[in-house]
């Protein structure tokens, strides 16, 4: 192979690897956006419940909220969920729940539940959320 062919092949390979990296990081940013949107949806649902006594699902919002009574144990502490949201970006991986004290809990369909604090960002290479 001549030098031009090698450089062309390397450039094409770098281009496709860059596309793969961008598409993967796009998925990470979608998970991040899902957490942010779900967090906002839970806060709005809590406000609706406090003001009206019920939660409202807004048709074009991409999320579904409902009142919940799940009790989960994380690190030996029991938490009772109050409101739960399913965000479209989560797919079938799980739902985000909120306690009456506004503790956010990720309820995964395959793994143990975990606390989602305000600084939480999904990991770059997650097995799941």
């Amino acid at each position: 192979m001549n030098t031009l062919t090698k450089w062309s092949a390397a450039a094409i390979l770098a281009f496709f690897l860059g596309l793969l990296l961008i598409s993967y990081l796009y998925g990470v940013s979608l998970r991040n956006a899902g957490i942010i949107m779900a967090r906002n949806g839970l806060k709005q649902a809590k406000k609706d419940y406090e003001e009206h006594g019920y939660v409202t699902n807004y048709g074009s919002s991409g999320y579904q909220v409902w009142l919940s009574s799940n009790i989960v144990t994380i690190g030996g502490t029991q938490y009772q969920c109050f409101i739960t949201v399913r965000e479209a970006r989560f797919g079938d991986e799980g739902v985000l729940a909120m306690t009456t004290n506004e503790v956010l809990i990720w309820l995964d369909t395959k793994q143990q539940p975990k606390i989602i604090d305000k600084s939480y960002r999904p990991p770059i290479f997650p097995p799941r959320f």
Side-chain angles (χ1 to χ4, degrees):
M1 267 203 240
N2 64 29
T3 306
L4 182 60
T5 306
K6 289 179 184 178
W7 280 106
S8 296
I12 290 171
L13 180 63
F15 175 75
F16 282 109
L17 288 175
L19 283 178
L20 287 174
L21 178 65
I22 288 170
S23 66
Y24 183 80
L25 292 176
Y26 177 70
V28 171
S29 71
L30 282 179
R31 287 193 302 275
N32 240 340
I35 292 289
I36 292 167
M37 294 299 293
R39 187 179 286 151
N40 292 338
L42 287 169
K43 287 179 182 179
Q44 181 63 46
K46 183 177 185 227
K47 182 179 174 188
D48 285 350
Y49 185 77
E50 289 170 347
E51 290 177 3
H52 308 291
Y54 57 88
V55 295
T56 303
N57 283 298
Y58 301 99
S60 64
S61 64
Y63 64 88
Q64 177 186 19
V65 295
W66 64 92
L67 296 177
S68 175
S69 60
N70 291 340
I71 297 175
V72 296
T73 303
I74 302 172
T77 304
Q78 283 193 334
Y79 297 89
Q80 179 161 357
C81 301
F82 167 55
I83 301 173
T84 303
V85 64
R86 180 182 319 276
E87 222 290 332
R89 292 173 186 94
F90 297 160
D92 63 351
E93 293 184 4
V95 295
L96 192 64
M98 177 190 283
T99 67
T100 54
N101 296 337
E102 296 190 15
V103 174
L104 297 176
I105 302 170
W106 173 250
L107 301 172
D108 199 289
T109 56
K110 295 183 180 175
Q111 297 178 357
Q112 296 295 318
K114 67 179 177 181
I115 303 283
I116 303 293
D117 61 11
K118 292 180 187 203
S119 64
Y120 176 80
R121 297 287 181 263
I124 297 289
F125 301 106
R128 297 188 59 84
F129 278 83

